[in-house]
Amino acid sequence: MEHTIPEKHYLNEATGWKSWLMTLDHKRIGILYMIMVMFSFFLGGVFALLLRWELISPDKILMGPEMYNQAFSLHGIIMIFLFIIPSIPAILGNFVMPLMIGAKDVAFPRLNLASWYIYVIGFCFAVYALFTGGIDTGWTFYTPYSSETTTAVIPILTAAFVLGFSSIFTGLNFIVTIHKLRAPGMTWFQLPLFVWAIYATALIQVLATPVLGITLALLMLERVVGIGIFDPAMGGDPVLFQHFFWFYSHPAVYIMILPGMGIISELIATFSHRRIFGYKFIAFSSLGIAFTGFLVWGHHMFVSGQSDFAAVIFSFLTFFVGIPSGIKILNWMATMYKGSISLDTPMLWALSFLILFSIGGFTGIILGTLSIDVHLHDTYFVVSHFHYVMVGGTVMAIFGGLHYWWPKIWGRMYNETLARIAVVLIFVGFNVTFFVQFIMGTQGMPRRYATYLPQFQGMHGFSSIGALIMGVGFLLIAIYLIHAIFKGKPSGPNPWKALTMEWETPSPPRAGNFEGAQRLTHGPYDYDKVVPENALKQYKTL
Amino acid sequence: MSQTTARPAHLQHHFTDVHQQAESAKLGIWIFLLTEVLLFGGLFCFYAIYRSWNPDMFHNAHAFLNVWMGATNTVVLIVSSLTMALAIRSMQLGRRKHTIVFLAGTVLLACVFMVIKYFEYSHKIHLGQLPGKWYFFEGIAGTNPHIFFSAYFLMTGLHGFHVLGGIAVITWLIIKTARGSFSPEYYTPIEMTGLYWHLVDLIWIFLFPLFYLIG
Amino acid sequence: MKDDAAQRHILPLNLYLAVGSGLLVLTVITVAAAQMDFGQMNLLIAMGIAVVKATLVAMFFMHLKYDNRIYMLVFVGSLLFLGVFIIFTMFDTLRRGDIYEEISEPYLKEAVIYRTAETGTASSHAAADSSHTAAEAETETTDH
């Protein structure tokens, strides 16, 4: 069946660069975010490749130890603060969430645009730091080193501080939007699970990010003024900085993964063509993860000199995070069981997520065990664990989501063959890169070193080959996705025959999202009750 | 639904009615206040931990703060909170002139607060009761008294910045009210600023005893 | 459409004045109480009064008593998470040295800024740590 692009849509209803830079439309802001965030992903990726390049051999290839320290710090800072934290909420949350709940826009469109500008300012500070001495503290800015090193700590702290505001604004906006702007008739338990996940994420954003703000402000004051609260020479306590930092940064890990889990819930239901199993369990497990995420930050500090009492409590509580995560995984599996699964590209990303995130999650439980962590702390085991969660989890979900909603965003479809090749490249490349790092870690290879003992040569080389495969995969994705924007085949409003509300508008949608007021006619996963037809808003009741 | 009736000028396009818009704004400001509580929370945590480590030093150092200035400032802020609440009430009743008077009173009291703070600060700076490495005062017994003044200046300083912010916003509200932008039907900005101002007062209610009374 | 007047909760003037005077009276009480020494109770009394004052402000000035319960939830929630932050951090800071006593005390008990004993401006309390040499102090200055 041939589809056409509607004559008027949000991309062409207003033209000129000013109509983009001053836009209040959540869809356009989502795209502005996409440009900046994906550029950051590219930058961070370049640093990752440089690191793996250097690690091909224990000898110096590209950079000496100081340069290496800067490269891994920038890789971490860019990937975390500029890419992964804003990624799903700011791009897909912005674009899709209001459509999913039948709203015309987010609650505070101006604040939404402001958050993008603040993000850009933060981005500029980060780039400024990059060109004025770099940063070699790692992304965690641990004191007392961060108050002593001569690199550009202040600009990068300013960047992270400013980006925090952007994150808070997005979170605040989404909470109010989900509370107040749902379509008439849409109750909380008719929300798509992506919206639940975004909601839980937004709660963490507003609760945790202010503490990061004050922490970074204190560190800046420590450095500039010398207030002496984290500096042992001044009677301060450097471990206190770690508490402050991880009170934000551990929940921030869930800011990164929760929206990814939301995307996976959508993908699994859509491509299994089956009512999602255990809707309420998945919805509440998002909130459960958000809450327990605040109680476990000390497991990053088992060897930092915190009290044994605290370490035991934090280790014990850490196991509880496994429960809601496990609930989600099992419910997704149950959804697929006896479903009518189609293996389109987004579903392939979702399946990769399931496998990789499970590995990442289980190794997290291993690391949360106090006695084992003492052995594995600061080794490649930890590096591999969080890459399995962040890349194997969140990045798989982002690209799954982008492939899933790409036809909604641009109205055009990408090349399916190339897309499937890309998934395989990334999946294989990822495992080649990181699985050996588990083994290296257990054998004692410490993280954050530019060199290593000769016995690790083989595994480091293997890992670097994997990174190259991943690099090729991401390049391929960039090519065919950008090509699809201009030359792709028109996709029609609902190419996947999904039942959530964003598919009830034309692709791309109009500036005001829906014609007239949107009403809920069926639940988001009523695959057992209705079948979507290809034309708009036509559903056949079974 | 109010779609059949004319949409008021202040109603934005993506809301169905003014009620929805006002409720959204209110939830938004409450979540903003939540972020403020946690922002100050970091400093309260800092205070609590160092106080628990050096209770004697905190006790000795607090004696060097002027209770009467602190108490005066508490009274000033409480009264300003009251005038803020009355400004909202006046607008609810449509008494625009009263609103302006109460708002102006709030700004005036906030300025008094800052002036008293200025005298306190300059006295401390003069004596060398300063945070961190700038500390050069002698005569407080106990370990590391500069930590107490780090906490004092950070917490009252951050609070002071919030007072200054409040002064700016309330001044803007006075202008808007005088121009007739608000009515008993639409006074959301005043209500939101009021909530913010009460929170600033609320934080001071805790800062006052923690620093001036018990150290 | 809901009734706008019901949403606006116009409270009587006397209520505001009563709450305002209540706050002022409590301020006087807490200042008076601080002039006396109740030992361990000092903190509890001062904080107790502050909590009562804060509750008054939140309930009446901020209208929490009359508004939608969700605002109460947001506000109490923020305090709850703040509590988690402070209490869990104190699990660490108050119990260092449970097993290894040597980590219960900081390496330098007294900050380097008090190490001016040689110049004759020793502060009344700085005498304790004379074992640290001036050279040690130099390496630990915080100038950048």
Side-chain angles (χ1 to χ4, degrees):
Chain A
M1 191 171 146
E2 282 300 310
H3 294 288
T4 50
I5 298 281
E7 211 162 278
K8 272 187 170 264
H9 49 79
Y10 77 101
L11 292 166
N12 68 9
E13 272 175 295
T15 49
W17 60 270
K18 217 176 155 186
S19 76
W20 279 90
L21 291 182
M22 304 303 280
T23 184
L24 296 179
D25 184 343
H26 67 99
K27 300 185 287 301
R28 284 187 165 207
I29 294 170
I31 287 178
L32 291 175
Y33 260 119
M34 188 192 292
I35 295 166
M36 293 301 294
V37 169
M38 284 299 154
F39 182 67
S40 305
F41 183 54
F42 170 75
L43 267 184
V46 169
F47 279 111
L49 287 175
L50 289 176
L51 291 176
R52 284 316 321 170
W53 185 286
E54 174 62 38
L55 289 171
I56 287 175
S57 137
D59 307 321
K60 180 181 169 180
I61 302 176
L62 285 173
M63 39 193 169
E66 292 85 8
M67 275 296 284
Y68 182 86
N69 289 349
Q70 298 204 4
F72 82 68
S73 300
L74 282 163
H75 167 70
I77 290 165
I78 292 174
M79 282 301 197
I80 286 179
F81 290 111
L82 285 165
F83 167 63
I84 206 161
I85 287 180
S87 63
I88 301 181
I91 302 172
L92 293 171
N94 244 328
F95 195 100
V96 180
M97 186 272 286
L99 287 166
M100 275 186 157
I101 63 172
K104 288 198 171 83
D105 208 320
V106 292
F108 310 113
R110 270 173 232 279
L111 195 66
N112 202 13
L113 183 65
S115 86
W116 183 74
Y117 276 102
I118 291 169
Y119 175 89
V120 174
I121 294 170
F123 181 88
C124 293
F125 271 110
V127 173
Y128 173 77
L130 176 60
F131 289 111
T132 55
I135 171 94
D136 62 352
T137 60
W139 78 278
T140 49
F141 313 120
Y142 274 8
T143 52
Y145 185 65
S146 58
S147 51
E148 302 281 326
T149 172
T150 53
T151 49
V153 177
I154 295 292
I156 206 79
L157 291 178
T158 315
F161 183 79
V162 168
L163 289 167
F165 280 96
S166 166
S167 185
I168 290 175
F169 286 179
T170 306
L172 192 157
N173 220 334
F174 286 0
I175 293 179
V176 177
T177 307
I178 294 168
H179 267 281
K180 300 292 179 191
L181 291 183
R182 301 192 307 276
M186 186 180 262
T187 64
W188 280 89
F189 293 116
Q190 284 156 341
L191 289 175
L193 287 165
F194 179 64
V195 178
W196 272 100
I198 287 284
Y199 181 74
T201 311
L203 285 179
I204 308 178
Q205 282 176 309
V206 298
L207 279 166
T209 319
V211 177
L212 177 76
I214 196 72
T215 309
L216 298 180
L218 288 175
L219 181 52
M220 280 190 261
L221 286 171
E222 176 86 39
R223 221 181 131 83
V224 179
V225 186
I227 49 172
I229 65 173
F230 298 135
D231 184 351
M234 293 286 289
D237 181 29
V239 178
L240 196 59
F241 174 82
Q242 298 185 22
H243 280 295
F244 274 57
F245 181 80
W246 287 113
F247 181 81
Y248 165 74
S249 292
H250 192 75
V253 172
Y254 301 108
I255 296 178
M256 305 174 204
I257 192 67
L258 270 173
M261 291 171 157
I263 291 179
I264 299 305
S265 303
E266 298 302 321
L267 297 184
I268 300 249
T270 301
F271 292 98
S272 303
H273 301 99
R274 192 153 176 260
R275 170 180 289 279
I276 193 130
F277 188 88
Y279 174 94
K280 285 193 182 176
F281 280 94
I282 298 184
F284 283 120
S285 65
S286 289
L287 296 181
I289 290 175
F291 179 72
T292 39
F294 277 94
L295 308 178
V296 299
W297 77 82
H299 67 215
H300 297 269
M301 302 164 56
F302 285 157
V303 299
S304 70
Q306 74 175 342
S307 76
D308 308 283
F309 178 72
V312 169
I313 287 183
F314 280 126
S315 176
F316 177 71
L317 290 173
T318 298
F319 294 118
F320 285 92
V321 181
I323 296 171
S325 314
I327 287 174
K328 278 177 191 286
I329 300 268
L330 294 175
N331 278 305
W332 292 327
M333 309 276 257
T335 307
M336 289 194 286
Y337 178 66
K338 288 191 176 170
S340 159
I341 299 175
S342 39
L343 290 175
D344 294 300
T345 313
M347 186 61 172
L348 294 179
W349 287 104
L351 294 176
S352 310
F353 175 99
L354 282 187
I355 298 165
L356 301 178
F357 177 76
S358 298
I359 298 176
F362 279 125
T363 50
I365 296 293
I366 293 173
L367 286 171
T369 314
L370 182 48
S371 52
I372 300 180
D373 184 74
V374 173
H375 173 64
L376 291 175
H377 189 86
D378 264 350
T379 67
Y380 267 59
F381 193 91
V382 178
V383 175
S384 188
H385 154 69
F386 69 71
H387 280 90
Y388 263 87
V389 178
M390 297 289 98
V391 182
T394 311
V395 173
M396 298 295 146
I398 294 169
F399 279 94
L402 281 177
H403 283 82
Y404 180 58
W405 284 300
W406 206 251
K408 177 52 62 185
I409 296 173
W410 305 102
R412 293 175 188 275
M413 194 58 105
Y414 44 83
N415 184 318
E416 181 76 18
T417 319
L418 288 178
R420 288 180 191 202
I421 293 172
V423 183
V424 174
L425 278 178
I426 302 278
F427 185 79
V428 172
F430 177 80
N431 281 301
V432 170
T433 313
F434 288 106
F435 199 80
V436 285
Q437 296 190 3
F438 280 129
I439 302 166
M440 277 195 275
T442 51
Q443 294 178 358
M445 171 72 212
R447 65 192 283 204
R448 295 182 166 175
Y449 280 88
T451 184
Y452 46 83
L453 296 175
Q455 74 239 37
F456 294 115
Q457 170 85 66
M459 282 190 278
H460 265 302
F462 190 70
S463 180
S464 293
I465 294 171
L468 190 67
I469 301 176
M470 278 218 292
V472 172
F474 283 122
L475 196 66
L476 178 64
I477 295 175
I479 292 170
Y480 71 73
L481 281 187
I482 292 171
H483 177 264
I485 296 175
F486 302 102
K487 296 280 165 63
K489 237 176 81 178
S491 63
N494 190 0
W496 316 114
K497 300 195 177 19
L499 291 181
T500 42
M501 214 177 253
E502 79 271 24
W503 303 105
E504 294 179 18
T505 62
S507 306
R510 291 290 304 265
N513 289 355
F514 299 99
E515 307 289 339
Q518 189 67 8
R519 282 213 152 264
L520 189 80
T521 49
H522 56 82
Y525 307 111
D526 283 350
Y527 291 98
D528 50 344
K529 293 195 188 125
V530 290
V531 210
E533 301 282 297
N534 268 325
L536 272 185
K537 285 195 175 185
Q538 289 184 355
Y539 295 91
K540 203 166 68 187
T541 308
L542 284 177
Chain B
M1 309 305 293
S2 60
Q3 261 147 350
T4 46
T5 62
R7 292 172 71 90
H10 58 79
L11 179 59
Q12 290 177 292
H13 82 98
H14 54 287
F15 292 110
T16 42
D17 54 43
V18 283
H19 177 67
Q20 187 188 30
Q21 174 166 306
E23 289 274 284
S24 299
K26 207 162 179 184
L27 183 58
I29 196 74
W30 270 106
I31 294 168
F32 168 72
L33 296 188
L34 171 145
T35 66
E36 290 280 12
V37 169
L38 282 144
L39 180 79
F40 276 95
L43 294 177
F44 277 102
C45 184
F46 159 46
Y47 172 95
I49 282 160
Y50 281 100
R51 186 176 193 275
S52 69
W53 275 338
N54 305 304
D56 296 337
M57 180 273 284
F58 265 65
H59 186 80
N60 295 334
H62 103 276
F64 288 82
L65 300 182
N66 188 325
V67 180
W68 299 111
M69 281 187 162
T72 315
N73 258 349
T74 310
V75 171
V76 165
L77 265 199
I78 286 173
V79 177
S80 83
S81 229
L82 179 65
T83 54
M84 189 73 219
L86 292 177
I88 296 169
R89 183 174 179 275
S90 307
M91 188 45 88
Q92 287 173 325
L93 296 169
R95 299 171 187 156
R96 181 171 304 151
K97 285 227 172 77
H98 290 198
T99 304
I100 294 175
V101 170
F102 282 128
L103 286 177
T106 311
V107 171
L108 190 72
L109 288 164
C111 292
V112 170
F113 179 90
M114 290 313 290
V115 168
I116 294 178
K117 214 73 254 137
Y118 167 79
F119 283 116
E120 279 192 270
Y121 274 12
S122 48
H123 183 62
K124 296 222 160 20
I125 291 167
H126 179 70
L127 288 180
Q129 294 165 339
L130 286 165
K133 67 178 180 189
W134 306 94
Y135 180 85
F136 63 82
F137 183 71
E138 286 157 26
I140 298 177
T143 323
N144 298 331
H146 67 281
I147 294 272
F148 177 84
F149 290 99
S150 290
Y152 170 78
F153 276 98
L154 281 171
M155 294 175 83
T156 57
L158 185 63
H159 180 264
F161 275 116
H162 281 78
V163 174
L164 289 177
I167 292 175
V169 177
I170 298 168
T171 311
W172 170 77
L173 284 181
I174 294 174
I175 297 169
K176 291 275 278 185
T177 314
R179 285 191 188 153
S181 304
F182 303 124
S183 62
E185 283 73 44
Y186 174 69
Y187 56 90
T188 310
I190 308 184
E191 197 183 10
M192 286 165 66
T193 313
L195 287 172
Y196 167 82
W197 191 251
H198 297 314
L199 187 84
V200 171
D201 181 27
L202 217 149
I203 288 166
W204 183 260
I205 285 177
F206 284 96
L207 290 183
F208 171 59
L210 283 178
F211 282 109
Y212 293 82
L213 298 183
I214 50 175
Chain C
M1 193 168 167
K2 288 177 194 162
D3 182 19
D4 270 0
Q7 289 297 318
R8 258 185 273 136
H9 345 280
I10 305 177
L11 304 183
L13 180 62
N14 285 338
L15 181 65
Y16 282 121
L17 294 179
V19 172
S21 5
L23 288 169
L24 294 178
V25 170
L26 284 169
T27 307
V28 172
I29 292 176
T30 188
V31 172
Q35 308 307 313
M36 291 169 262
D37 191 12
F38 300 99
Q40 292 293 314
M41 296 295 286
N42 281 341
L43 179 69
L44 276 179
I45 292 171
M47 284 295 99
I49 295 176
V51 168
V52 174
K53 284 165 78 180
T55 314
L56 282 176
V57 171
M59 288 305 216
F60 296 99
F61 285 180
M62 298 171 99
H63 287 197
L64 276 184
K65 189 173 189 301
Y66 308 94
D67 254 340
N68 194 327
R69 283 283 168 268
I70 185 138
Y71 307 126
M72 179 90 88
L73 187 70
V74 171
F75 189 58
V76 175
S78 72
L79 299 176
L80 184 82
F81 279 90
L82 177 56
V84 167
F85 181 31
I86 295 177
I87 290 168
F88 275 54
T89 308
M90 286 191 144
F91 282 161
D92 168 24
T93 60
L94 289 184
R95 304 206 46 169
R96 290 194 192 154
D98 274 7
I99 295 178
Y100 303 106
E101 209 183 317
E102 63 271 22
I103 63 166
S104 63
E105 291 288 321
Y107 175 65
L108 291 176
K109 192 139 175 55
E110 192 133 79
V112 288
I113 53 167
Y114 301 105
R115 301 261 188 78
T116 48
E118 284 83 352
T119 60
T121 56
S123 49
S124 56
H125 55 283
D129 260 349
S130 53
S131 62
H132 293 288
T133 62
E136 216 180 330
E138 256 166 44
T139 59
E140 282 152 352
T141 54
T142 49
D143 288 338
H144 310 298

